[in-house]
Amino acid sequence: IWPLTSLRNAEFLANEVPGARVPEAVLERMRRADAGGTEAAHAEGIRIAQEVLEAVRGMVRGVQVSTPGGRFEVALETLGQLTA
């Protein structure tokens, strides 16, 4: 799971990373959030990652949460709302 940190990050993954797929609906959510500023886009990226985690929870035994730019706090923030 790669928590999106900004609209720019989402667009980069969608357009420049071979094999990465960012659905248009996710890009649109990030665009709307970006209109509210950097913090709003960051929060939306975390929410999206949490939604993905919840969606796959019953289908996997574990996940790897990436730390964009080595920022481990983003991974912790992503996992922070999950319960066992």
Side-chain angles (χ1 to χ4, degrees):
I1 305 293
W2 183 282
L4 300 170
T5 55
S6 66
L7 173 59
R8 182 176 178 197
N9 177 232
E11 290 175 336
F12 177 81
L13 287 171
N15 298 313
E16 303 297 331
V17 178
R21 184 178 164 274
V22 181
E24 184 57 37
V26 169
L27 290 169
E28 185 54 36
R29 283 178 65 179
M30 291 302 291
R31 286 183 194 109
R32 284 194 308 268
D34 188 64
T38 303
E39 288 183 29
H42 173 83
E44 187 67 12
I46 296 297
R47 271 191 295 280
I48 292 166
Q50 290 170 338
E51 290 169 12
V52 171
L53 286 170
E54 285 296 331
V56 301
R57 180 175 238 171
M59 296 181 264
V60 298
R61 293 185 134 191
V63 296
Q64 176 179 337
V65 179
S66 295
T67 55
R71 296 172 43 215
F72 69 89
E73 66 275 5
V74 175
L76 294 176
E77 192 176 354
T78 300
L79 296 171
Q81 300 297 319
L82 296 176
T83 58

Coordinates of all heavy atoms in Angstrom, one line a residue:
I1 N 0.9 -1.2 0.0 CA 0.0 0.0 0.0 C 0.9 1.2 0.0 O 1.8 1.3 0.8 CB -0.9 0.0 1.3 CG1 -1.7 -1.2 1.4 CG2 -1.8 1.3 1.3 CD1 -2.8 -1.5 0.4
W2 N 0.7 2.1 -0.9 CA 1.5 3.3 -1.0 C 0.5 4.5 -0.7 O -0.3 4.9 -1.5 CB 2.0 3.5 -2.4 CG 2.9 4.7 -2.6 CD1 2.5 6.0 -2.7 CD2 4.3 4.8 -2.6 NE1 3.5 6.9 -2.8 CE2 4.7 6.1 -2.7 CE3 5.3 3.8 -2.5 CZ2 6.0 6.5 -2.8 CZ3 6.6 4.2 -2.5 CH2 7.0 5.5 -2.7
P3 N 0.7 5.1 0.5 CA -0.2 6.2 0.9 C 0.2 7.4 0.0 O 1.4 7.8 -0.1 CB 0.2 6.5 2.3 CG 0.9 5.3 2.8 CD 1.5 4.7 1.6
L4 N -0.8 8.0 -0.7 CA -0.5 9.1 -1.6 C -0.3 10.3 -0.7 O -1.0 10.6 0.3 CB -1.7 9.4 -2.5 CG -2.0 8.2 -3.4 CD1 -3.3 8.4 -4.1 CD2 -0.9 8.0 -4.4
T5 N 0.7 11.1 -1.0 CA 1.1 12.3 -0.1 C 0.6 13.6 -0.7 O 0.6 14.6 -0.1 CB 2.6 12.3 0.2 OG1 3.3 12.3 -1.1 CG2 3.0 11.1 1.0
S6 N 0.3 13.6 -2.0 CA -0.1 14.8 -2.7 C -0.7 14.4 -4.1 O -0.6 13.3 -4.5 CB 1.1 15.7 -2.9 OG 2.0 15.1 -3.8
L7 N -1.3 15.4 -4.7 CA -1.8 15.2 -6.1 C -0.6 14.9 -7.0 O -0.7 14.0 -7.8 CB -2.6 16.5 -6.5 CG -3.0 16.5 -8.0 CD1 -3.9 15.3 -8.3 CD2 -3.7 17.8 -8.4
R8 N 0.4 15.7 -6.8 CA 1.6 15.5 -7.7 C 2.1 14.0 -7.5 O 2.5 13.4 -8.5 CB 2.7 16.5 -7.3 CG 3.9 16.3 -8.1 CD 4.9 17.4 -7.7 NE 6.1 17.2 -8.5 CZ 7.3 17.8 -8.3 NH1 7.4 18.6 -7.2 NH2 8.3 17.5 -9.0
N9 N 2.2 13.5 -6.3 CA 2.6 12.1 -6.1 C 1.7 11.1 -6.8 O 2.1 10.2 -7.5 CB 2.6 11.9 -4.6 CG 2.9 10.5 -4.2 OD1 2.2 9.9 -3.4 ND2 4.1 9.9 -4.6
A10 N 0.4 11.4 -6.7 CA -0.6 10.5 -7.4 C -0.4 10.5 -8.9 O -0.5 9.5 -9.5 CB -2.0 10.9 -7.0
E11 N -0.3 11.7 -9.4 CA -0.1 11.9 -10.9 C 1.2 11.2 -11.3 O 1.3 10.6 -12.4 CB -0.2 13.3 -11.3 CG -1.6 13.9 -11.2 CD -1.7 15.3 -11.4 OE1 -0.7 16.1 -11.3 OE2 -2.8 15.8 -11.8
F12 N 2.3 11.4 -10.6 CA 3.5 10.7 -10.9 C 3.4 9.2 -11.0 O 3.8 8.6 -11.9 CB 4.6 11.1 -9.9 CG 5.9 10.5 -10.1 CD1 6.8 11.0 -11.1 CD2 6.3 9.3 -9.5 CE1 8.0 10.3 -11.4 CE2 7.5 8.7 -9.7 CZ 8.4 9.2 -10.7
L13 N 2.8 8.6 -9.9 CA 2.6 7.2 -9.9 C 1.7 6.8 -11.1 O 2.0 5.8 -11.8 CB 1.9 6.8 -8.6 CG 2.7 6.8 -7.4 CD1 1.9 6.5 -6.2 CD2 3.8 5.8 -7.5
A14 N 0.7 7.5 -11.4 CA -0.2 7.2 -12.5 C 0.5 7.3 -13.9 O 0.2 6.5 -14.8 CB -1.5 8.1 -12.5
N15 N 1.3 8.2 -14.1 CA 1.9 8.5 -15.4 C 3.3 8.1 -15.6 O 3.8 7.9 -16.8 CB 1.8 10.0 -15.7 CG 0.4 10.5 -15.7 OD1 -0.5 9.9 -16.3 ND2 0.1 11.6 -15.0
E16 N 4.1 7.9 -14.6 CA 5.5 7.7 -14.7 C 6.1 6.4 -14.2 O 7.2 6.0 -14.5 CB 6.3 8.8 -14.1 CG 5.9 10.2 -14.6 CD 6.3 10.4 -16.0 OE1 7.2 9.8 -16.6 OE2 5.5 11.2 -16.7
V17 N 5.3 5.6 -13.4 CA 5.7 4.4 -12.8 C 5.1 3.2 -13.6 O 3.9 3.0 -13.5 CB 5.4 4.3 -11.3 CG1 5.9 3.0 -10.7 CG2 6.0 5.5 -10.6
P18 N 6.0 2.5 -14.3 CA 5.5 1.4 -15.1 C 4.8 0.3 -14.1 O 5.3 0.0 -13.1 CB 6.8 0.8 -15.7 CG 7.7 1.9 -15.7 CD 7.4 2.7 -14.5
G19 N 3.7 -0.1 -14.5 CA 2.9 -1.1 -13.8 C 2.0 -0.6 -12.7 O 1.2 -1.3 -12.2
A20 N 2.3 0.7 -12.3 CA 1.4 1.3 -11.3 C 0.1 1.8 -11.9 O 0.1 2.3 -13.0 CB 2.1 2.5 -10.6
R21 N -1.0 1.5 -11.2 CA -2.3 1.9 -11.7 C -3.0 2.7 -10.6 O -3.2 2.3 -9.5 CB -3.1 0.7 -12.1 CG -4.4 1.0 -12.7 CD -5.2 -0.2 -13.1 NE -6.6 0.1 -13.3 CZ -7.5 0.2 -12.4 NH1 -7.2 -0.1 -11.1 NH2 -8.8 0.5 -12.7
V22 N -3.3 4.0 -11.0 CA -4.1 4.8 -10.1 C -5.4 5.1 -10.8 O -5.4 5.8 -11.8 CB -3.3 6.1 -9.7 CG1 -4.1 7.0 -8.8 CG2 -1.9 5.8 -9.2
P23 N -6.5 4.6 -10.2 CA -7.8 4.8 -10.9 C -8.1 6.3 -11.0 O -7.8 7.1 -10.2 CB -8.8 4.1 -10.0 CG -7.9 3.1 -9.2 CD -6.6 3.8 -9.1
E24 N -8.8 6.6 -12.1 CA -9.2 8.0 -12.3 C -10.0 8.6 -11.1 O -9.9 9.7 -10.8 CB -10.0 8.1 -13.6 CG -10.4 9.6 -14.0 CD -9.2 10.5 -14.1 OE1 -8.1 10.1 -14.6 OE2 -9.3 11.7 -13.7
A25 N -10.8 7.7 -10.5 CA -11.6 8.2 -9.3 C -10.7 8.6 -8.2 O -11.0 9.6 -7.5 CB -12.6 7.1 -8.9
V26 N -9.6 7.9 -8.0 CA -8.6 8.3 -7.0 C -8.0 9.6 -7.4 O -7.8 10.5 -6.5 CB -7.6 7.2 -6.7 CG1 -6.5 7.6 -5.9 CG2 -8.3 6.0 -6.1
L27 N -7.6 9.7 -8.6 CA -6.9 11.0 -9.0 C -7.9 12.2 -8.8 O -7.5 13.2 -8.4 CB -6.5 10.9 -10.5 CG -5.3 10.0 -10.8 CD1 -5.2 9.8 -12.3 CD2 -4.1 10.5 -10.2
E28 N -9.2 11.9 -9.1 CA -10.2 13.0 -9.0 C -10.3 13.4 -7.5 O -10.4 14.5 -7.2 CB -11.5 12.6 -9.6 CG -12.6 13.7 -9.5 CD -12.1 15.0 -10.2 OE1 -11.4 15.0 -11.2 OE2 -12.5 16.1 -9.6
R29 N -10.3 12.4 -6.6 CA -10.4 12.7 -5.2 C -9.2 13.5 -4.8 O -9.3 14.4 -4.0 CB -10.5 11.4 -4.4 CG -11.8 10.7 -4.4 CD -11.8 9.4 -3.6 NE -11.5 9.6 -2.2 CZ -11.5 8.6 -1.3 NH1 -11.8 7.3 -1.7 NH2 -11.3 8.8 0.0
M30 N -8.0 13.2 -5.3 CA -6.8 13.9 -4.9 C -6.9 15.3 -5.5 O -6.4 16.2 -4.8 CB -5.6 13.1 -5.4 CG -5.3 11.8 -4.6 SD -5.1 12.1 -2.8 CE -3.5 12.9 -2.8
R31 N -7.4 15.5 -6.7 CA -7.6 16.8 -7.2 C -8.5 17.7 -6.4 O -8.1 18.9 -6.1 CB -8.1 16.8 -8.7 CG -7.1 16.3 -9.7 CD -7.8 16.3 -11.1 NE -6.9 15.5 -12.0 CZ -7.2 14.3 -12.5 NH1 -8.4 13.8 -12.3 NH2 -6.4 13.7 -13.3
R32 N -9.6 17.1 -6.0 CA -10.5 17.9 -5.1 C -9.9 18.2 -3.8 O -10.0 19.4 -3.3 CB -11.8 17.1 -4.9 CG -12.8 17.1 -6.1 CD -14.1 16.6 -5.7 NE -14.2 15.3 -5.0 CZ -14.3 14.1 -5.6 NH1 -14.4 14.1 -6.9 NH2 -14.3 13.0 -4.9
A33 N -9.2 17.3 -3.2 CA -8.5 17.5 -1.9 C -7.4 18.6 -2.1 O -7.2 19.4 -1.2 CB -8.0 16.2 -1.4
D34 N -6.7 18.5 -3.2 CA -5.6 19.4 -3.4 C -6.1 20.9 -3.4 O -5.3 21.8 -3.1 CB -4.8 19.0 -4.7 CG -3.6 19.8 -4.9 OD1 -2.6 19.7 -4.1 OD2 -3.5 20.6 -5.9
A35 N -7.3 21.1 -3.9 CA -7.8 22.4 -3.9 C -7.9 23.0 -2.5 O -7.9 24.2 -2.4 CB -9.2 22.4 -4.6
G36 N -8.0 22.1 -1.5 CA -8.0 22.6 -0.1 C -6.7 22.8 0.5 O -6.6 23.1 1.7
G37 N -5.6 22.5 -0.3 CA -4.3 22.7 0.2 C -3.5 21.4 0.5 O -4.1 20.3 0.4
T38 N -2.2 21.6 0.8 CA -1.3 20.4 1.0 C -1.8 19.5 2.1 O -1.8 18.3 1.9 CB 0.1 20.9 1.3 OG1 0.5 21.8 0.3 CG2 1.1 19.8 1.4
E39 N -2.2 20.0 3.2 CA -2.6 19.1 4.3 C -3.9 18.4 4.0 O -4.0 17.2 4.3 CB -2.9 20.0 5.6 CG -1.6 20.5 6.2 CD -1.8 21.2 7.5 OE1 -2.8 21.0 8.2 OE2 -1.0 22.1 7.7
A40 N -4.8 19.0 3.2 CA -6.0 18.3 2.8 C -5.7 17.2 1.9 O -6.3 16.1 2.0 CB -7.0 19.3 2.2
A41 N -4.8 17.4 0.9 CA -4.4 16.3 0.0 C -3.7 15.2 0.7 O -4.0 14.0 0.4 CB -3.5 16.9 -1.1
H42 N -2.9 15.5 1.7 CA -2.2 14.5 2.4 C -3.2 13.7 3.2 O -3.2 12.4 3.2 CB -1.2 15.1 3.4 CG -0.6 14.2 4.3 ND1 0.5 13.4 4.0 CD2 -0.9 13.8 5.6 CE1 0.8 12.6 5.0 NE2 0.0 12.9 6.0
A43 N -4.1 14.3 3.9 CA -5.2 13.6 4.6 C -6.0 12.7 3.7 O -6.4 11.6 4.1 CB -6.1 14.6 5.4
E44 N -6.3 13.2 2.5 CA -7.1 12.4 1.6 C -6.3 11.2 1.1 O -6.9 10.1 1.0 CB -7.6 13.2 0.4 CG -8.5 12.5 -0.5 CD -9.9 12.2 0.1 OE1 -10.2 12.7 1.2 OE2 -10.7 11.4 -0.5
G45 N -5.1 11.3 0.9 CA -4.2 10.2 0.5 C -4.2 9.1 1.6 O -4.2 7.9 1.3
I46 N -4.1 9.6 2.8 CA -4.1 8.6 4.0 C -5.5 7.9 4.0 O -5.5 6.7 4.2 CB -3.9 9.3 5.3 CG1 -2.4 9.9 5.3 CG2 -4.1 8.4 6.5 CD1 -1.3 9.0 5.2
R47 N -6.6 8.6 3.8 CA -7.9 8.0 3.8 C -8.0 7.0 2.7 O -8.6 5.9 3.0 CB -9.0 9.1 3.7 CG -9.5 9.7 5.0 CD -10.7 10.5 4.8 NE -10.5 11.7 4.0 CZ -10.0 12.8 4.4 NH1 -9.6 12.9 5.7 NH2 -9.8 13.9 3.6
I48 N -7.5 7.3 1.6 CA -7.6 6.3 0.4 C -6.8 5.1 0.8 O -7.3 4.0 0.6 CB -7.1 7.0 -0.9 CG1 -8.1 8.1 -1.3 CG2 -6.9 6.0 -2.0 CD1 -7.5 9.0 -2.4
A49 N -5.6 5.2 1.3 CA -4.8 4.1 1.7 C -5.6 3.2 2.8 O -5.6 2.0 2.7 CB -3.5 4.5 2.2
Q50 N -6.2 3.9 3.7 CA -6.9 3.2 4.8 C -8.1 2.4 4.2 O -8.4 1.3 4.6 CB -7.4 4.1 5.8 CG -6.3 4.6 6.7 CD -6.7 5.8 7.6 OE1 -7.7 6.5 7.4 NE2 -5.9 6.0 8.7
E51 N -8.8 3.0 3.2 CA -9.9 2.4 2.5 C -9.4 1.1 1.8 O -10.1 0.1 1.8 CB -10.6 3.3 1.5 CG -11.4 4.4 2.2 CD -11.8 5.5 1.3 OE1 -11.8 5.3 0.0 OE2 -12.2 6.6 1.8
V52 N -8.3 1.2 1.1 CA -7.7 0.1 0.4 C -7.4 -1.1 1.4 O -7.7 -2.2 1.2 CB -6.5 0.4 -0.4 CG1 -5.8 -0.8 -1.0 CG2 -6.9 1.4 -1.5
L53 N -6.8 -0.7 2.5 CA -6.5 -1.7 3.6 C -7.7 -2.4 4.0 O -7.8 -3.6 4.2 CB -5.8 -1.0 4.7 CG -4.3 -0.6 4.5 CD1 -3.8 0.3 5.6 CD2 -3.4 -1.8 4.3
E54 N -8.8 -1.6 4.3 CA -10.0 -2.2 4.8 C -10.6 -3.1 3.7 O -11.2 -4.2 4.0 CB -11.0 -1.2 5.2 CG -10.7 -0.5 6.5 CD -10.8 -1.5 7.7 OE1 -11.5 -2.5 7.7 OE2 -10.0 -1.2 8.7
A55 N -10.5 -2.7 2.4 CA -11.1 -3.5 1.3 C -10.4 -4.9 1.2 O -11.1 -5.8 0.8 CB -11.0 -2.7 0.0
V56 N -9.2 -4.9 1.4 CA -8.4 -6.2 1.2 C -8.2 -7.0 2.5 O -7.8 -8.1 2.4 CB -7.0 -6.0 0.5 CG1 -7.2 -5.3 -0.8 CG2 -6.1 -5.2 1.4
R57 N -8.7 -6.4 3.6 CA -8.4 -7.1 4.9 C -8.8 -8.5 5.0 O -8.0 -9.3 5.5 CB -9.2 -6.3 6.0 CG -9.0 -6.8 7.3 CD -9.6 -6.0 8.3 NE -8.6 -5.6 9.3 CZ -8.7 -4.7 10.2 NH1 -9.8 -4.0 10.3 NH2 -7.7 -4.4 11.0
G58 N -9.9 -8.9 4.5 CA -10.3 -10.3 4.5 C -9.7 -11.2 3.5 O -9.9 -12.4 3.5
M59 N -9.0 -10.6 2.6 CA -8.4 -11.4 1.4 C -6.9 -11.7 1.6 O -6.4 -12.4 0.8 CB -8.6 -10.6 0.1 CG -10.1 -10.5 -0.2 SD -10.3 -9.6 -1.8 CE -10.6 -7.9 -1.2
V60 N -6.2 -11.0 2.5 CA -4.8 -11.1 2.6 C -4.4 -11.4 4.1 O -5.2 -11.2 5.0 CB -4.1 -9.9 2.1 CG1 -4.4 -9.6 0.7 CG2 -4.5 -8.7 3.0
R61 N -3.2 -11.9 4.3 CA -2.7 -12.2 5.6 C -1.9 -11.1 6.2 O -1.6 -11.0 7.3 CB -1.9 -13.5 5.6 CG -2.7 -14.7 5.3 CD -1.9 -15.9 5.4 NE -2.7 -16.9 6.2 CZ -2.2 -18.0 6.7 NH1 -0.9 -18.3 6.5 NH2 -2.9 -18.8 7.4
G62 N -1.6 -10.2 5.3 CA -0.7 -9.0 5.7 C -0.6 -8.1 4.6 O -0.9 -8.4 3.4
V63 N -0.1 -6.9 4.9 CA 0.2 -5.9 3.8 C 1.6 -5.2 4.2 O 2.0 -5.3 5.3 CB -0.9 -4.8 3.7 CG1 -2.2 -5.4 3.3 CG2 -1.0 -4.0 5.0
Q64 N 2.1 -4.6 3.2 CA 3.3 -3.8 3.3 C 2.9 -2.4 3.1 O 2.3 -2.1 2.0 CB 4.4 -4.2 2.4 CG 5.6 -3.3 2.5 CD 6.7 -3.7 1.5 OE1 6.8 -4.9 1.1 NE2 7.6 -2.8 1.2
V65 N 3.1 -1.5 4.0 CA 2.8 -0.1 3.8 C 4.1 0.6 3.5 O 5.0 0.5 4.3 CB 2.1 0.5 5.0 CG1 1.8 2.0 4.8 CG2 0.8 -0.3 5.3
S66 N 4.1 1.3 2.4 CA 5.4 2.0 2.0 C 5.5 3.2 2.8 O 4.6 3.8 3.4 CB 5.3 2.3 0.5 OG 5.3 1.2 -0.2
T67 N 6.7 3.7 2.9 CA 7.1 4.9 3.5 C 7.5 5.9 2.5 O 8.7 6.0 2.2 CB 8.1 4.7 4.6 OG1 9.3 4.1 4.0 CG2 7.6 3.9 5.7
P68 N 6.6 6.7 1.9 CA 7.0 7.6 0.8 C 8.1 8.6 1.3 O 8.0 9.2 2.3 CB 5.7 8.4 0.5 CG 4.6 7.5 1.0 CD 5.2 6.7 2.2
G69 N 9.2 8.6 0.5 CA 10.3 9.5 0.8 C 11.0 9.1 2.1 O 11.6 10.0 2.8
G70 N 10.8 7.9 2.6 CA 11.4 7.5 3.9 C 10.7 8.0 5.1 O 11.2 7.9 6.2
R71 N 9.5 8.6 4.9 CA 8.8 9.2 6.0 C 7.9 8.1 6.7 O 6.8 7.9 6.3 CB 7.9 10.4 5.5 CG 8.8 11.5 4.9 CD 8.0 12.6 4.2 NE 6.8 13.0 4.9 CZ 5.7 13.4 4.3 NH1 5.7 13.4 3.0 NH2 4.7 13.7 5.0
F72 N 8.5 7.5 7.7 CA 7.8 6.4 8.3 C 6.5 6.8 9.0 O 5.6 6.0 9.2 CB 8.7 5.7 9.3 CG 9.1 6.5 10.5 CD1 8.3 6.5 11.7 CD2 10.2 7.3 10.5 CE1 8.5 7.3 12.8 CE2 10.5 8.1 11.6 CZ 9.7 8.1 12.8
E73 N 6.4 8.1 9.4 CA 5.2 8.6 10.1 C 4.0 8.5 9.2 O 2.9 8.4 9.7 CB 5.4 10.0 10.6 CG 5.6 11.1 9.5 CD 7.0 11.3 9.0 OE1 7.9 10.5 9.4 OE2 7.2 12.2 8.2
V74 N 4.2 8.5 7.8 CA 3.1 8.4 6.9 C 2.5 7.0 7.0 O 1.3 6.8 7.0 CB 3.5 8.7 5.5 CG1 2.4 8.5 4.5 CG2 3.9 10.2 5.4
A75 N 3.4 6.0 7.1 CA 2.9 4.6 7.2 C 2.2 4.4 8.6 O 1.2 3.8 8.6 CB 4.1 3.6 7.1
L76 N 2.8 5.0 9.6 CA 2.1 4.9 10.9 C 0.8 5.6 10.9 O -0.2 5.1 11.5 CB 3.0 5.5 12.0 CG 4.3 4.7 12.3 CD1 5.2 5.5 13.3 CD2 4.1 3.3 12.7
E77 N 0.7 6.7 10.3 CA -0.6 7.4 10.2 C -1.6 6.6 9.4 O -2.8 6.5 9.8 CB -0.3 8.8 9.5 CG -1.5 9.7 9.5 CD -1.1 11.1 8.9 OE1 0.1 11.3 8.5 OE2 -2.0 11.9 8.8
T78 N -1.2 5.9 8.4 CA -2.1 5.1 7.6 C -2.6 3.9 8.5 O -3.8 3.6 8.4 CB -1.3 4.5 6.4 OG1 -0.9 5.6 5.6 CG2 -2.2 3.6 5.6
L79 N -1.8 3.3 9.3 CA -2.2 2.2 10.1 C -2.9 2.6 11.4 O -3.5 1.8 12.0 CB -0.9 1.3 10.5 CG -0.3 0.7 9.3 CD1 1.1 0.1 9.7 CD2 -1.2 -0.3 8.6
G80 N -2.8 3.9 11.7 CA -3.3 4.4 13.0 C -4.7 4.1 13.3 O -5.1 3.9 14.5
Q81 N -5.6 4.1 12.3 CA -7.0 4.0 12.5 C -7.5 2.5 12.5 O -8.7 2.3 12.7 CB -7.8 4.8 11.5 CG -7.5 6.3 11.6 CD -7.9 6.9 12.9 OE1 -8.9 6.6 13.5 NE2 -7.0 7.7 13.5
L82 N -6.6 1.6 12.1 CA -7.1 0.2 12.0 C -7.1 -0.4 13.3 O -6.4 -0.1 14.2 CB -6.1 -0.5 11.1 CG -6.0 -0.1 9.7 CD1 -4.9 -0.8 8.9 CD2 -7.3 -0.2 8.9
T83 N -8.1 -1.4 13.4 CA -8.2 -2.2 14.6 C -8.0 -3.6 14.3 O -8.2 -4.0 13.1 CB -9.6 -2.0 15.3 OG1 -10.6 -2.3 14.4 CG2 -9.8 -0.6 15.8
A84 N -7.6 -4.4 15.2 CA -7.3 -5.8 14.9 C -8.5 -6.6 14.5 O -9.6 -6.3 14.6 CB -6.7 -6.5 16.2

